[in-house]
Amino acid sequence: MLTGRSVVVTGSGRGLGRAYAKAVAAAGAGVVVNDVDADAAAGVVAEIEADGGAAVAVVAPVGPTATADALVAAAVERFGRLDAMVTNAGLLRDRSVAKMSDDDWDAVIATHLRGTFTCARAAIARFREQGEGGRLVLVGSPAGQRASFGQTNYSAAKAGIVGMARTLAAETARHGITVNALVPVALTRMVATIPAFADAVAALERGEPVPEPLRAGGVGSAEDVAPLLVWLLSDAAAEVTGQALGVGGDNITVWTHPAVAAEASMPGGWTAEAIAKEFPAQLQPHLQAYAPERHS
């Protein structure tokens, strides 16, 4: 589906990024593998080449503009062009907000949100120079869609990424560029610290299959996520843009855009007393759940 394409995948030395890079290469694209770990990046390049694919590594942290420019330059130098940018790189600094330091906040925001911005900006500039459109896939998370205890920094960054995807889609549509947010759920090292998933992650690393109840509930392996990415980068998804698409296990989901759930009007404007009187009947029934359901 991607023969002759050139794709950058940030944070692709391990986990979801590795699965993305390998799947994109298997679909025929040349891949720029990016990671801060040189050995991990080189290992993924070697895996791709052993399977007959083409890849090159760029070892650098995302966030700085220089890294974004280097990633685009590597794609152009090795493959002659850039067709897609997948902004996957990320890290976690989980703590409740009372215990979260400035560094915890800044590190996550710099990698996820700034890194997505700088890489997207560099890719868009190249797409416009080439004049043939392009694909941007910005990787979000359910933590950015619903509450995720202890992840104020990560949730804020991932929510920002989905908002960024919508706006970039609007800004670049006239240039034939599609921009979508991918919202994956997978058993990786990043979720191994969550007690509900720790045993399943360990089992998967031992080569055991993901239990069917988890798969049916939308939780699977990194390899389960990659096909949606490949499709989004292909011609088959040329008309899909500005969307947040989730994938995990056996399920693909379309996330809604923020929308007004209810509206009440008061001629001449509202007073606090009028709100107190009318809110319970007119608006309170429409309040939204903010956290995932917990099953005992």
Side-chain angles (χ1 to χ4, degrees), residues 16-67:
L16 281 164
R18 172 177 172 270
Y20 297 154
K22 292 187 67 176
V24 166
V31 186
V32 177
V33 176
N34 160 253
D35 207 275
V36 293
D37 185 326
D39 291 339
V44 175
V45 169
E47 289 181 83
I48 289 171
E49 291 178 339
D51 291 334
V56 60
V58 173
V59 180
V62 301
T65 294
T67 297

Side-chain angles (χ1 to χ4, degrees), residues 20 31 34 82-83 102 111 126 139 146 162-163 203 213 226 261 267:
Y20 297 154
V31 186
N34 160 253
L82 176 69
D83 295 290
D102 289 357
T111 300
R126 180 63 194 182
V139 179
R146 306 293 293 276
V162 175

Side-chain angles (χ1 to χ4, degrees), residues 106-191:
D106 291 343
V108 170
I109 297 300
T111 300
H112 288 276
L113 198 55
R114 181 181 172 85
T116 296
F117 158 67
T118 55
C119 289
R121 181 178 60 184
I124 289 167
R126 180 63 194 182
F127 295 155
R128 292 186 63 180
E129 181 180 343
Q130 292 172 174
E132 299 174 8
R135 297 281 191 275
L136 280 174
V137 176
L138 315 184
V139 179
S141 167
Q145 307 295 96
R146 306 293 293 276
S148 185
F149 190 92
Q151 294 189 316
T152 300
N153 46 7
Y154 184 70
S155 294
K158 289 302 190 181
I161 286 169
V162 175
M164 192 188 306
R166 287 192 292 266
T167 296
L168 291 180
E171 290 186 358
T172 62
R174 66 184 183 277
H175 302 294
I177 299 167
T178 68
V179 189
N180 292 287
L182 181 65
V183 183
V185 179
L187 297 169
T188 65
R189 291 184 182 182
M190 191 171 277
V191 302

Side-chain angles (χ1 to χ4, degrees), residues 177-243:
I177 299 167
T178 68
V179 189
N180 292 287
L182 181 65
V183 183
V185 179
L187 297 169
T188 65
R189 291 184 182 182
M190 191 171 277
V191 302
T193 56
I194 302 173
F197 295 137
D199 290 345
V201 172
L204 188 64
E205 290 181 344
R206 292 194 299 268
E208 299 175 22
V210 178
E212 287 304 318
L214 276 180
R215 293 190 59 84
V219 181
S221 67
E223 287 70 25
D224 290 319
V225 175
L228 179 59
L229 172 67
V230 172
W231 178 79
L232 281 170
L233 300 183
S234 75
D235 290 340
E239 303 303 318
V240 179
T241 192
Q243 304 303 307

Side-chain angles (χ1 to χ4, degrees), residues 259-266 270 278-279 281-287:
V260 175
E263 184 174 356
S265 180
M266 178 67 66
W270 290 89
E278 300 296 334
F279 192 93
Q282 293 199 48
L283 297 175
Q284 190 158 333
H286 303 281
L287 298 183

